[in-house]
Amino acid sequence: YEMQRSLVGSEMCIRDSSQRMKRNYTIIPLFLLLFVAMVACSNKSRNNADSEGKQPQSTVNVPQFDADSAYQYVKAQVDFGPRVPNTAAHRACGEYLVKKLEQFGATVYSQQVDLIAYDGTLLKARNIIGSYKPETKKRILLLSHWDSRPWADADPDEKNRHTPILGANDGASGVGVLLEIARQLHKQQPELGIDIVLVDAEDYGPHQSYEGTHKEEQWALGSQYWAQNPHVQGYNARFGILLDMVGAKDATFLYEGYSEEFAKGINRKVWNTANNLGYGRYFVKERGNTVTDDHLFVNRNARIPTIDIIQCSEETGFYENWHTLKDDMDGIDRNTLKAVGQTIMEVIYKEK
Ligand code: AHN
Ligand code: ZN
């Protein structure tokens, strides 16, 4: 309001002085004053640039990833309820994700496709892609699945094993981190183009009680579709990073097997970056499990070297509340979101 008032005021000043111009020459010192002010201003901004970075071309300022913001994006998804394909919550969350990526200035692609699950269920699936600098050839791919598992088939309580899960960590955490990265990308773009690919129908793999054959192709249906039908023809990226279960307190991320096989150098780049930032207690430089996850099909079918940042543990293999009804917001810790988010920010903004 104050700003508007002063604007109106200065406008009136100009009108007043132009009327005076016809009568006398007081306008000349006014122009002089304006000129001096303009020179002073331009010097000031140049001085600021000098003091902030001596060589603006060689130093990149990596923005700060806001973990509170990421946490809110995780919660917003969980608040829809389980995001199981063919449900109203799933459709509403899909709309929310498209809206957020648009709000954050991405070029948004939506792939709506019918996919057939292992048990014959037709899934109304939707891959959602947000692209930054879509015209740029040099690109980085960031992925996470946004659906949640239809059943808590790993729940310790047998009667819960056919109830859908909230997937706060398994699903929403990775997407929450990527939405916060999108918000940062809107404010300041890195040199490379970035594609945020939110894949659907990752977690509709066979129920633990399923008697038929278990195959890896029964998982990650959305990423399999995307790898064979990318959002733009001939799509390629220098490398990809998949986020899966990146929000639990004291999570540890180890070198996952397929990531080592297909993209060892990217694993080293990311883990070294994390350790240099002081996140070595999360990014532990040890070999972990081999996991059938979205990155497998991106590596195999799209042939983009892609790693999986996924929580591993000795006891259960994954996150302790994996595929249980306890995978809710209580398991989400901002410090872990920050460690993962800031590491990815560092990697994507430093890439030349
Ligand atoms: C399998 O259980 C075969 N893969 C785990 C991939 C996954 C499920 N990630 C999250 N949920
Ligand atoms: Zn899962």
Side-chain angles (χ1 to χ4, degrees):
Y1 176 70
E2 278 306 318
M3 178 97 115
Q4 272 180 328
R5 267 181 70 105
S6 67
L7 271 176
V8 171
S10 67
E11 224 175 36
M12 278 166 22
C13 254
I14 290 162
R15 222 176 288 128
D16 281 351
S17 63
S18 64
Q19 278 167 353
R20 233 182 288 139
M21 187 158 60
K22 289 171 195 140
R23 280 183 260 119
N24 58 44
Y25 294 98
T26 52
I27 193 72
I28 291 167
L30 258 174
F31 273 124
L32 253 170
L33 195 71
L34 189 69
F35 181 70
V36 169
M38 275 167 66
V39 170
C41 268
S42 70
N43 274 341
K44 195 179 158 216
S45 60
R46 229 176 283 143
N47 285 341
N48 280 350
D50 282 353
S51 63
E52 277 165 21
K54 288 274 178 284
Q55 289 119 352
Q57 293 98 329
S58 67
T59 38
V60 225
N61 219 353
V62 180
Q64 283 297 307
F65 179 91
D66 186 332
D68 291 318
S69 173
Y71 183 93
Q72 288 310 315
Y73 300 142
V74 178
K75 185 173 183 300
Q77 294 167 77
V78 171
D79 283 345
F80 286 106
R83 282 88 58 220
V84 175
N86 302 344
T87 67
H90 178 270
R91 287 188 289 274
C93 186
E95 290 302 308
Y96 163 78
L97 297 173
V98 167
K99 212 185 68 197
K100 293 312 277 184
L101 289 172
E102 280 172 355
Q103 183 194 328
F104 298 145
T107 301
V108 180
Y109 305 82
S110 172
Q111 295 186 318
Q112 288 179 277
V113 58
D114 293 348
L115 300 171
I116 312 290
Y118 74 98
D119 61 352
T121 306
L122 187 146
L123 306 176
K124 294 279 180 190
R126 185 177 199 183
N127 291 332
I128 298 161
I129 300 103
S131 293
Y132 291 87
K133 295 191 178 178
E135 69 292 344
T136 303
K137 283 256 181 304
K138 299 184 209 167
R139 315 197 62 77
I140 299 172
L141 168 66
L142 304 175
L143 305 112
S144 198
H145 77 88
W146 71 272
D147 60 310
S148 64
R149 184 136 177 91
W151 327 277
D153 54 345
D155 201 280
D157 189 341
E158 167 127 42
K159 72 176 192 301
N160 291 336
R161 293 190 191 151
H162 290 272
T163 306
I165 70 164
L166 284 173
N169 199 26
D170 188 0
S173 67
V175 174
V177 167
L178 294 184
L179 284 182
E180 169 57 10
I181 290 174
R183 192 177 73 91
Q184 297 292 343
L185 290 172
H186 191 30
K187 295 194 281 185
Q188 182 190 325
Q189 300 257 342
E191 188 169 319
L192 271 69
I194 308 289
D195 302 288
I196 292 176
V197 178
L198 308 179
V199 287
D200 199 356
E202 187 276 337
D203 236 346
Y204 216 107
H207 191 279
Q208 275 187 17
S209 67
Y210 179 64
E211 302 268 305
T213 45
H214 289 243
K215 288 191 260 165
E216 55 194 8
E217 292 80 12
Q218 293 164 330
W219 296 86
L221 303 180
S223 55
Q224 289 188 61
Y225 179 82
W226 179 83
Q228 274 145 17
N229 310 273
H231 57 288
V232 289
Q233 248 195 356
Y235 176 81
N236 206 354
R238 195 176 280 181
F239 60 87
I241 302 176
L242 169 65
L243 304 184
D244 195 358
M245 298 185 271
V246 292
K249 188 176 176 2
D250 302 324
T252 52
F253 308 111
L254 311 181
Y255 296 133
E256 181 275 333
Y258 287 124
S259 310
E260 286 287 276
E261 182 184 327
F262 289 103
K264 192 171 186 158
I266 308 307
N267 257 355
R268 296 301 173 279
K269 185 206 288 272
V270 171
W271 264 249
N272 286 338
T273 301
N275 278 263
N276 289 339
L277 289 174
Y279 299 127
R281 105 183 149 85
Y282 298 96
F283 288 82
V284 178
K285 295 178 172 181
E286 287 169 24
R287 176 63 184 249
N289 302 334
T290 299
V291 185
T292 302
D293 209 343
D294 295 300
H295 70 312
L296 172 60
F297 304 100
V298 176
N299 277 302
R300 256 192 209 159
N301 302 329
R303 302 187 164 275
I304 298 166
T306 300
I307 64 158
D308 192 3
I309 301 178
I310 182 166
Q311 180 173 0
C312 288
S313 73
E314 305 261 308
E315 318 87 63
T316 55
F318 298 120
Y319 168 52
E320 55 173 331
N321 297 323
W322 179 72
H323 294 183
T324 76
L325 292 191
K326 274 180 78 181
D327 183 1
D328 58 20
M329 286 308 289
D330 294 344
I332 301 299
D333 187 284
R334 289 172 175 82
N335 299 306
T336 309
L337 298 173
K338 172 71 179 180
V340 174
Q342 196 62 54
T343 297
I344 295 189
M345 293 283 285
E346 188 79 13
V347 168
I348 67 178
Y349 280 84
K350 290 278 164 74
E351 190 76 16
K352 290 279 150 209

